[in-house]
Amino acid sequence: MSTELAKLMPVPTPETQGYWQGCNEGRLLIQRCTACGHHQFYPRLLCTACASSDVAWHEASGNGRVKSFTIIRRAVTEAYADDVPYVVALIELAEGPTMMSNVVGCDVEKVHIGMSVSVRFERRTEEIAVPIFNGNE
Amino acid sequence: MTSSLRGQVAIVGAADTEVGKVAHMSATQLCIDAAQRALADAGIGKDDVDGLVTCNSMAEPHMYHAEAMAEYLQIFPKYCVSAGAGGGTTFAVLYQAAAAIAHGICETVLISMADSLRTGLSREQAMVMQSSSGHPQFETPYGSTVPGYYALIAQAYMHEYGATPEQLASVAVTCRKHACLHPGAQMRDPITVDDVMASRMIADPLRLLDCSLVSDGGAAIVLTSAERAKDFPHQPVYLLGAGEGHGHEHISQAHSLTTSAAKLSGERAYAMAGLTPKDMDLVQVYDCFTPVVLIELEDLGFCGKGEGGAFVAEGHTEIGGSLPMNTHGGLLSHSHPGNPGSMFALTETVTQLRHAAGERQVQGAETALVHAQGGILSSHCSVILGRDA
């Protein structure tokens, strides 16, 4: 694959390595504060609710709802051109936090705010799989 | 208790470069051209400048941009800052520079910003560079464009308040109407709501004409103390209020998709000015995409939440209406060279408050609010300007 045609790839850092490793194993890991129980995404050094540094990985159910979405008609780079039209959405996870993702597995015109979705993983390389969501019609 | 900045500093020079497709000039040249025009407007020379503010260029970046521009001009300022970039910071630097003047750090600040997104970058380069404002691990891999990020806001706003695509379109129509009155504007052919609706879908629900332009161009202003301002050739335009608001950086982290930190920046600016939304004779809001205008008009207190669509569609924001907005045509129709984009809203406001806007003059304009935002409805700055200190 030429670099020109590669999709934009996340580069894990020491802070996010656990998350991407989870994705690689098919698990969606968010953080849960051991002190106050708050769930958060993306991974951070501290709990944004109570500032405790006692935050631990927690496997999310992978279920959520579409908080908002768009259908991309003009791809950001050539690497995404074959996917057009594709859905970029904000997914509110059952645990509370919101993440950006793609909604797949259904007609793009059927995606709507409030739609129930569940996680699956799109393998991009041997090390990287990105969490995307199936639209449950 | 510190003294307020209200009325202490004034804009005494303002000018735009040619905008649109300006292939005969690099981004650096546009920045210097804007600077020279603003200095000429203020009736001073480069050696009178002892403070310089610029923002970096995407087409021709410098590691330390303002320093590079000072060197280019061969000026040796006491205050030299490259704005962090992003639409909102364009105005944040304005009141920071005003504070530097008010505290005696320097006397005369030149703020000059330019870029050449249209000719200095390929279409693909411009798209990738702009969409890199997304989070590199948790957003950009999903392939959104900048219109896509804003479409998430548009979709949520329409869902929550029942705004229609036609109401969004009326924002673009209003801006174009005003651009038609501006001899320097990039887009000067009138459009209708039907034209907007017929333009191709870019990222649902945003169509091509809901999106701002990609331009070359720059603009600059000269700022000095209120005391000195009276000695300059034009009517001074005083800084009466300023405020920032920051809600998130990445749209996936926004606490609300439909109410922005413009509410906070506006409240802070009104408080400093001792004025209310009703006191504003015109407003320039950040119109990178049509739905943003509705959210900002609401959050800045010009109409109720969810009423923005009807407010614009009914014509209140046209020149001659109760609250003319984006009187130069805005980012949608005047020009949008990226980070410097809202500088044109600033120079236009100076022109309006000097009562020198010709056929697009808002009659009797005394006070105006100028608002900019950066990121994806992320960082906001509101500035209130007036003819009287």
Side-chain angles (χ1 to χ4, degrees):
Chain A
M1 188 173 18
S2 78
T3 43
E4 213 172 302
L5 282 175
K7 286 185 174 178
L8 300 165
M9 294 293 284
V11 179
T13 65
E15 185 161 53
T16 63
Q17 200 130 32
Y19 171 78
W20 290 112
Q21 196 180 325
C23 289
N24 214 25
E25 295 161 2
R27 300 188 303 143
L28 181 63
L29 300 182
I30 60 174
Q31 284 179 322
R32 185 178 180 280
C33 175
T34 310
C36 78
H38 176 69
H39 290 100
Q40 66 186 18
F41 181 81
Y42 46 83
R44 292 162 162 102
L45 199 56
L46 78 170
C47 168
T48 57
C50 76
S52 164
S53 51
D54 200 2
V55 285
W57 293 115
H58 172 85
E59 185 171 351
S61 66
N63 298 320
R65 288 190 177 280
V66 172
K67 191 155 131 184
S68 193
F69 72 99
T70 182
I71 306 169
I72 304 285
R73 309 278 177 178
R74 193 191 187 290
V76 66
T77 68
E78 274 300 305
Y80 294 82
D82 287 346
D83 296 345
V84 167
Y86 55 94
V87 172
V88 169
L90 296 176
I91 307 297
E92 187 169 55
L93 299 174
E95 291 79 8
T98 295
M99 63 187 291
M100 187 172 285
S101 192
N102 298 126
V103 174
V104 299
C106 63
D107 180 355
V108 295
E109 303 289 345
K110 293 277 163 59
V111 176
H112 58 271
I113 290 175
M115 185 184 212
S116 146
V117 294
S118 24
V119 77
R120 59 188 253 194
F121 293 86
E122 178 190 305
R123 179 151 300 284
R124 297 252 180 111
T125 67
E126 218 165 272
E127 294 83 30
I128 295 291
V130 298
I132 58 175
F133 288 78
N134 251 327
N136 305 323
E137 290 184 65
Chain B
M1 184 69 190
T2 52
S3 63
S4 165
L5 259 184
R6 185 191 201 283
Q8 291 201 41
V9 170
I11 298 170
V12 293
D16 300 343
T17 68
E18 199 182 318
V19 302
K21 194 173 178 191
V22 192
H24 62 279
M25 277 197 166
S26 70
T28 295
Q29 286 179 301
L30 285 166
C31 182
I32 301 300
D33 183 38
Q36 287 186 297
R37 289 172 188 245
L39 291 172
D41 181 66
I44 60 173
K46 71 180 175 76
D47 296 333
D48 298 315
V49 172
D50 62 359
L52 178 67
V53 182
T54 69
C55 75
N56 214 344
S57 155
M58 292 188 194
E60 198 179 356
H62 286 278
M63 176 78 91
Y64 305 112
H65 192 270
E67 287 79 355
M69 295 304 109
E71 173 193 270
Y72 184 117
L73 281 166
Q74 283 294 292
I75 61 172
F76 309 94
K78 299 171 185 162
Y79 174 74
C80 193
V81 180
S82 305
T89 50
T90 317
F91 291 165
V93 293
L94 173 68
Y95 81 80
Q96 289 161 13
I101 292 168
H103 286 282
I105 305 291
C106 54
E107 283 193 328
T108 308
V109 178
L110 170 66
I111 303 180
S112 186
M113 301 186 180
D115 210 344
S116 49
L117 294 193
R118 183 85 178 267
T119 55
L121 295 173
S122 71
R123 231 182 137 68
E124 173 114 336
Q125 278 177 321
M127 275 184 81
V128 171
M129 196 163 284
Q130 290 177 15
S131 65
S132 66
S133 62
H135 194 294
Q137 292 189 61
F138 305 116
E139 293 186 346
T140 58
Y142 296 107
S144 187
T145 54
V146 172
Y149 290 135
Y150 277 96
L152 297 168
I153 292 163
Q155 200 79 261
Y157 179 82
M158 292 165 81
H159 180 77
E160 188 167 343
Y161 296 113
T164 64
E166 289 81 3
Q167 288 175 336
L168 299 191
S170 69
V171 171
V173 172
T174 302
C175 287
R176 182 62 61 89
K177 205 168 181 174
H178 296 167
C180 290
L181 300 173
H182 191 303
Q186 186 173 340
M187 303 298 275
R188 303 194 64 218
D189 295 323
I191 52 170
T192 64
V193 167
D194 287 343
D195 292 332
V196 182
M197 297 298 291
S199 64
R200 70 190 162 90
M201 197 64 94
I202 301 291
D204 304 40
L206 299 180
R207 296 174 166 85
L208 181 65
L209 293 176
D210 287 304
C211 305
S212 52
L213 304 168
V214 177
S215 318
D216 303 328
I221 62 148
V222 178
L223 207 59
T224 195
S225 66
E227 279 163 31
R228 295 183 67 230
K230 295 180 185 71
D231 301 333
F232 285 77
H234 296 290
Q235 156 80 39
V237 171
Y238 297 93
L239 175 67
L240 302 180
E244 288 184 47
H246 300 271
H248 58 269
E249 171 58 13
H250 303 103
I251 192 59
S252 58
Q253 295 284 317
H255 292 275
S256 168
L257 293 172
T258 56
T259 296
S260 72
K263 193 168 185 317
L264 301 172
S265 68
E267 283 167 2
R268 289 162 186 158
Y270 292 130
M272 186 193 290
L275 296 169
T276 70
K278 288 201 175 356
D279 297 314
M280 299 303 126
D281 298 314
L282 65 129
V283 63
Q284 319 284 10
V285 289
Y286 198 81
D287 56 337
C288 50
F289 297 93
T290 54
V292 174
V293 168
L294 307 184
I295 292 172
E296 289 177 348
L297 287 172
E298 295 165 7
D299 293 347
L300 292 167
F302 296 111
C303 57
K305 215 51 212 168
E307 295 171 3
F311 188 68
V312 174
E314 287 164 9
H316 298 295
T317 56
E318 290 182 16
I319 294 171
S322 60
L323 183 75
M325 73 170 186
N326 301 8
T327 51
H328 59 314
L331 305 171
L332 285 163
S333 281
H334 177 276
S335 66
H336 192 184
N339 291 325
S342 47
M343 284 296 289
F344 299 93
L346 186 59
T347 53
E348 168 69 5
T349 305
V350 171
T351 305
Q352 288 283 348
L353 293 177
R354 285 178 181 177
H355 295 172
E359 56 176 334
R360 62 178 197 285
Q361 180 63 47
V362 175
Q363 294 307 317
E366 293 290 323
T367 313
L369 185 144
V370 192
H371 182 84
Q373 62 99 29
I376 311 296
L377 206 62
S378 314
S379 302
H380 295 258
C381 189
S382 308
V383 171
I384 296 172
L385 301 170
R387 280 170 68 87
D388 292 316

